[in-house]
Amino acid sequence: MPYHLGVLDGLQHCGVLTKSTPIAGASAGAIAAASRACELDSKVVLDATIDISDTTGAMGGARGRLLAPLRQKLDEMIDEEQYLKACEKPLAIAYKQLYPRFENVHQTTFESEQDLKNAVCHSSMFPFFTTNWPVTWCGDTNRLLVDGFFAVPRSRFGCPDFQLADGLSDAVDETIMVCPFPAQYIGLQHPECNTKWCISPDPDEDFSSQIERLLRLATQSTSAPELIGVYDSGFEDAEKWYHNIYQKHQQEQRQQEADVVTSVDPDGRYLALN
């Protein structure tokens, strides 16, 4: 999740991300997307991530112990003021519904502060990892749910699809996909079959060691310096993408339509975070 926070801050720093930019999140990306919609300071969210890591580490490890401290941190950080801010933003939280019927949910309206927090927890319910159970039961709505990674085809590697988000699909012109694993090696495919619109780490020459390290960072209790380093990596990758891809794309558009004043409205894009 720190990687997503870094990417969001990097894109904001570059002027691509604004308050009106639609953002969708699944799994760890749902936490980052909701935090952004609530206008929480990234440092506060990063500190909360470090606290959760320290807490689960002291308990013997992250596996099966994440849900309770996640809910606690959401309760501490999101109150009615933050909830109302999120309701004003184009936000989608993705998760998979298994009962009463199979459905790929991209929730865009949140009836209450608790409903928003529940959606984030539903999206973060990775089987046998967030808790010791494969799924979660939502007693308030009588639904059986699982992590947002499973709400989209495998080719999206958990990145949500705004075409499934009621009321927001028409607000999206282009998609920027964000993933903390190297896109070209995990099979992440942009809907336009164009990996240049994916922000992810560059692959190392020793790919197996890189994936092992990234999986460890994503699934095990991790030190504060390492988590801060993941955030910094996301910020740097976003800046690199902006200078190498986004600006070049704008220049190409201006060349193709030289007789028309063309600018790419950053609010016509959305972020899909996994």
Side-chain angles (χ1 to χ4, degrees):
M1 198 267 289
Y3 184 85
H4 305 90
L5 292 175
V7 169
L8 291 173
D9 281 353
L11 292 178
Q12 181 180 15
H13 175 74
C14 293
V16 176
L17 178 64
T18 71
K19 290 183 178 181
S20 58
T21 303
I23 303 179
S27 200
I31 305 171
S35 299
R36 173 64 52 163
C38 290
E39 299 183 16
L40 298 176
D41 186 280
S42 293
K43 185 180 184 307
V44 173
V45 182
L46 183 57
D47 286 345
T49 304
I50 294 171
D51 285 346
I52 291 175
S53 181
D54 290 343
T55 298
T56 55
M59 297 169 63
R63 195 192 74 78
R65 300 181 174 92
L66 282 174
L67 185 59
L70 172 59
R71 284 193 178 277
Q72 179 182 349
K73 288 300 179 182
L74 290 174
D75 287 338
E76 292 175 2
M77 295 188 298
I78 299 177
D79 58 19
E80 184 177 6
E81 179 182 357
Q82 280 74 45
Y83 159 70
L84 293 175
K85 289 179 179 179
C87 289
E88 297 173 352
K89 309 290 194 316
L91 169 68
I93 301 296
Y95 51 88
K96 181 84 171 185
Q97 177 178 288
L98 304 176
Y99 178 87
R101 63 181 183 276
F102 280 101
E103 184 177 351
N104 296 320
V105 179
H106 284 56
Q107 186 172 342
T108 57
T109 57
F110 307 93
E111 297 180 356
S112 66
E113 176 186 328
Q114 192 60 48
D115 189 27
L116 173 61
K117 298 174 186 176
N118 285 342
V120 173
C121 290
H122 299 337
S123 186
S124 304
M125 182 60 196
F126 202 82
F128 301 109
F129 180 71
T130 305
T131 72
N132 288 319
W133 295 91
V135 295
T136 185
W137 174 258
C138 181
D140 293 339
T141 57
N142 294 323
R143 294 183 299 163
L144 197 63
L145 308 166
V146 72
D147 194 280
F149 179 90
F150 304 100
V152 291
R154 168 64 180 81
S155 60
R156 297 185 70 94
F157 204 76
C159 291
D161 184 355
F162 254 120
Q163 297 306 311
L164 302 177
D166 290 342
L168 294 180
S169 59
D170 292 340
V172 174
D173 294 331
E174 293 179 309
T175 304
I176 304 170
M177 301 174 82
V178 179
C179 182
F181 298 95
Q184 54 267 61
Y185 283 152
I186 61 170
L188 177 60
Q189 297 178 12
H190 191 276
E192 297 175 3
C193 297
N194 190 345
T195 56
K196 73 178 183 180
W197 292 110
C198 302
I199 300 177
S200 69
D202 291 331
D204 291 345
E205 291 185 6
D206 188 353
F207 174 67
S208 60
S209 295
Q210 180 186 21
I211 290 298
E212 181 180 349
R213 180 180 64 84
L214 292 174
L215 284 173
R216 178 181 61 80
L217 291 171
T219 61
Q220 298 182 22
S221 300
T222 308
S223 69
E226 285 183 303
L227 291 173
I228 294 171
V230 174
Y231 168 89
D232 291 339
S233 175
F235 192 101
E236 292 167 3
D237 286 345
E239 283 193 310
K240 187 190 309 179
W241 176 87
Y242 172 77
H243 293 296
N244 295 341
I245 303 298
Y246 184 85
Q247 287 188 321
K248 184 181 296 185
H249 176 66
Q250 288 186 306
Q251 293 171 358
E252 290 173 352
Q253 282 195 324
R254 285 193 289 268
Q255 291 174 0
Q256 293 172 1
E257 303 176 14
D259 57 333
V260 179
V261 178
T262 303
S263 63
V264 179
D265 181 4
D267 296 341
R269 305 180 179 281
Y270 79 86
L271 292 173
L273 308 174
N274 170 42

